[in-house]
Amino acid sequence: MDQGGTRFRLLKAAGEIISRKGFRAATVREICARAGANVASVKYYFGGKKRLYEELLRYSFEESLRNYPPDPGLPADASPTDRLRAFIRSYLMRLHDEGRSSWFGKLMTREMFEPTEALDQIVEQAIRPLALMLRELVRQLAGAELNAGEVLLCGVSIAAQCQHFYRARAVVTRVYPELRLDRQGIEDLTDHILAFSLAAIRGYKRA
Amino acid sequence: MDQGGTRFRLLKAAGEIISRKGFRAATVREICARAGANVASVKYYFGGKKRLYEELLRYSFEESLRNYPPDPGLPADASPTDRLRAFIRSYLMRLHDEGRSSWFGKLMTREMFEPTEALDQIVEQAIRPLALMLRELVRQLAGAELNAGEVLLCGVSIAAQCQHFYRARAVVTRVYPELRLDRQGIEDLTDHILAFSLAAIRGYKRA
DNA sequence: TCCAGTCCTAAACAGTTGTTTCATCCGGTC
DNA sequence: GACCGGATGAAACAACTGTTTAGGACTGGA
């Protein structure tokens, strides 16, 4: 895979554009223009727009794994709390980063709301493993207090928060201009979601 | 406004289609076909697709207010907890209902992720009031424990959960098929989000 | 009866979309 | 030099988009 070749430039341009405006709204012409290639090159190298998108999913998934490994260098004896913190931080980074490492997270978020035919593949490949990991974390944190259904819902509530600040950023930053979503803001956000969720899990039964 | 007239049928068709697939993906021809009207009727009655959308926002906002009033028949001395419960339940209903009462909520959710020129109007008209109401609720529940920034973030975390189960329903129902989002499911979900959020607010400082 | 106005229709318009065609270029090989 | 095959380019393609046109059908009042 020549990183300067036309094929790779197309993939790169597609990642930048599709992760920002979605598969349907991104046009082949815009992608090719950004890649400095002819419109016909998409068919030549990938067979069509849809195939380019599928290839982008594969590529960006690997790129995402490289930058956000499932177990981000935590010591083997790290506490569940530390693990949850790492999970949340990684989730936020995955969405708010810039560049190719964040493409997959953004594409994933789009697929959740407006699925294409690729959703099933994404669910099995990326989302389900993350969901299972999160559920196991919650289970450990909750001890014997929560039943399976409650653990599941708590996991979804945590993922909901991680996604929301990216998905609804257009509104959040309008209503709360004081809320910055830069690098430091992500750290603060991590602390908040962790505190909110830990307290929620621990006090769930009482409430 | 004749409810059987062409103008209203267009509005109704637009509500059904645009709330489901978004402004850009919905085509004038599909809307007109569903309304049993000629393609030219959109220009005739509204002046264009964009104007039809703006009119739909106005109409569906009123329709939404009618079905989900800001203060849903709670006694004047209702506790903050009861108020939060009503807020969450109303939020979930607003999104998971079917028919015209849910159009605005769904359009709002779309605008948050993929804003059109109408977003600013929606923020001021609908989102900001809701956000303020939610923030005030959290403030009352938290007492003097949380500072302004923490109260704000807790409010966003609650809204995040309410939206997530609708926005990511394609994925949630795939990963957790046991999670039903019918009428009873919404009631259970209300209980969960309330318990999760109450515990979170109360235990925030400790965590 | 005529007119004005509202409502509606079929058809065409101009622009954009993804795809396709076909000629051309370029580097290596015989 | 001739030739080949991958890579590129300009242009056209058919399908679809929102919009517009030109007129027809019908009503109610003058």
Side-chain angles (χ1 to χ4, degrees):
Chain A
M1 173 105 66
D2 180 3
Q3 300 237 340
T6 304
R7 191 191 140 93
F8 184 77
R9 292 205 320 276
L10 282 171
L11 211 53
K12 188 159 153 269
E16 292 163 357
I17 295 174
I18 299 183
S19 73
R20 186 158 43 82
K21 33 205 287 192
F23 174 73
R24 275 171 260 260
T27 72
V28 171
R29 276 172 176 79
E30 186 185 359
I31 292 172
C32 289
R34 171 173 298 223
N38 189 273
V39 265
S41 51
V42 164
K43 174 185 160 83
Y44 182 76
Y45 282 104
F46 301 95
K49 188 188 179 188
K50 195 185 288 182
R51 299 266 200 81
L52 164 59
Y53 180 60
E54 291 163 4
E55 185 63 29
L56 173 62
L57 282 177
R58 271 190 290 276
Y59 171 76
S60 62
F61 177 58
E62 292 167 14
E63 204 63 28
S64 172
L65 272 186
R66 203 187 325 270
N67 284 274
Y68 308 104
D71 210 329
L74 282 178
D77 61 342
S79 70
T81 301
D82 285 341
R83 285 187 199 282
L84 180 59
R85 185 173 208 294
F87 184 95
I88 293 171
R89 187 169 181 281
S90 174
Y91 210 135
L92 292 176
M93 290 291 197
R94 211 190 304 262
L95 287 174
H96 288 89
D97 256 9
E98 273 163 31
R100 67 190 69 167
S101 61
S102 71
W103 290 344
F104 187 72
K106 290 169 181 169
L107 297 177
M108 215 168 60
T109 304
R110 293 207 158 264
E111 285 283 340
M112 291 194 190
F113 189 38
E114 298 191 304
T116 71
E117 296 170 10
L119 178 60
D120 284 307
Q121 175 198 341
I122 293 184
V123 165
E124 298 309 323
Q125 194 176 50
I127 299 181
R128 193 184 298 283
L130 279 178
L132 289 179
M133 193 186 309
L134 180 54
R135 202 165 64 173
E136 176 58 20
L137 268 176
V138 174
R139 210 188 51 71
Q140 290 177 16
L141 285 165
E145 255 189 81
L146 304 185
N147 65 37
E150 290 163 340
V151 166
L152 186 161
L153 286 171
C154 287
V156 181
S157 278
I158 294 172
Q161 297 174 74
C162 294
Q163 286 194 19
H164 185 73
F165 288 85
Y166 171 70
R167 277 212 268 217
R169 66 198 183 289
V171 164
V172 170
T173 55
R174 263 182 179 77
V175 179
Y176 300 119
E178 66 265 38
L179 217 156
R180 293 260 165 270
L181 291 179
D182 52 11
R183 205 138 203 107
Q184 180 56 47
I186 297 301
E187 301 297 337
D188 298 343
L189 211 49
T190 305
D191 292 335
H192 159 71
I193 297 179
L194 180 66
F196 192 89
S197 305
L198 276 182
I201 293 171
R202 290 177 185 152
Y204 195 88
K205 273 302 181 197
R206 270 191 305 275
Chain B
M1 174 106 65
D2 180 3
Q3 300 237 339
T6 304
R7 191 191 140 92
F8 184 76
R9 293 205 318 278
L10 282 172
L11 212 52
K12 187 158 153 270
E16 292 163 357
I17 295 174
I18 298 183
S19 72
R20 187 158 43 79
K21 34 205 286 191
F23 174 73
R24 275 171 260 259
T27 72
V28 171
R29 276 172 177 79
E30 185 184 0
I31 292 171
C32 290
R34 170 173 296 221
N38 188 274
V39 264
S41 52
V42 163
K43 175 186 159 82
Y44 181 76
Y45 282 104
F46 302 95
K49 188 189 180 188
K50 196 184 289 184
R51 299 266 201 82
L52 165 59
Y53 180 60
E54 291 164 4
E55 184 64 29
L56 173 63
L57 282 176
R58 271 191 291 275
Y59 172 76
S60 62
F61 177 59
E62 292 167 14
E63 205 64 27
S64 172
L65 272 187
R66 203 186 326 271
N67 284 274
Y68 309 105
D71 210 328
L74 282 177
D77 61 342
S79 69
T81 301
D82 285 341
R83 285 186 199 283
L84 181 59
R85 185 174 207 294
F87 184 94
I88 294 171
R89 187 169 181 280
S90 174
Y91 210 135
L92 292 176
M93 290 291 196
R94 211 191 304 261
L95 288 174
H96 287 89
D97 256 9
E98 273 163 29
R100 66 190 71 167
S101 61
S102 71
W103 290 344
F104 187 72
K106 290 170 181 169
L107 296 176
M108 215 167 60
T109 304
R110 293 209 157 264
E111 285 283 341
M112 291 193 190
F113 190 38
E114 299 192 301
T116 71
E117 296 171 10
L119 178 60
D120 284 306
Q121 175 199 341
I122 294 183
V123 165
E124 298 310 323
Q125 193 176 49
I127 299 180
R128 194 184 297 282
L130 280 176
L132 289 180
M133 194 186 310
L134 181 54
R135 204 165 62 173
E136 176 59 19
L137 268 174
V138 175
R139 210 189 50 73
Q140 290 177 16
L141 284 165
E145 254 188 83
L146 304 185
N147 65 38
E150 291 162 340
V151 166
L152 186 161
L153 285 171
C154 287
V156 181
S157 279
I158 295 173
Q161 297 173 74
C162 293
Q163 287 194 19
H164 185 73
F165 288 85
Y166 170 70
R167 277 211 268 216
R169 66 198 182 290
V171 164
V172 171
T173 55
R174 264 180 178 80
V175 179
Y176 301 120
E178 67 265 38
L179 219 157
R180 293 260 164 271
L181 290 179
D182 52 11
R183 205 139 203 106
Q184 180 56 47
I186 297 301
E187 300 297 338
D188 298 343
L189 211 49
T190 305
D191 292 335
H192 160 71
I193 297 179
L194 180 67
F196 192 90
S197 305
L198 276 182
I201 294 171
R202 289 177 186 152
Y204 195 88
K205 273 302 181 197
R206 271 191 304 274

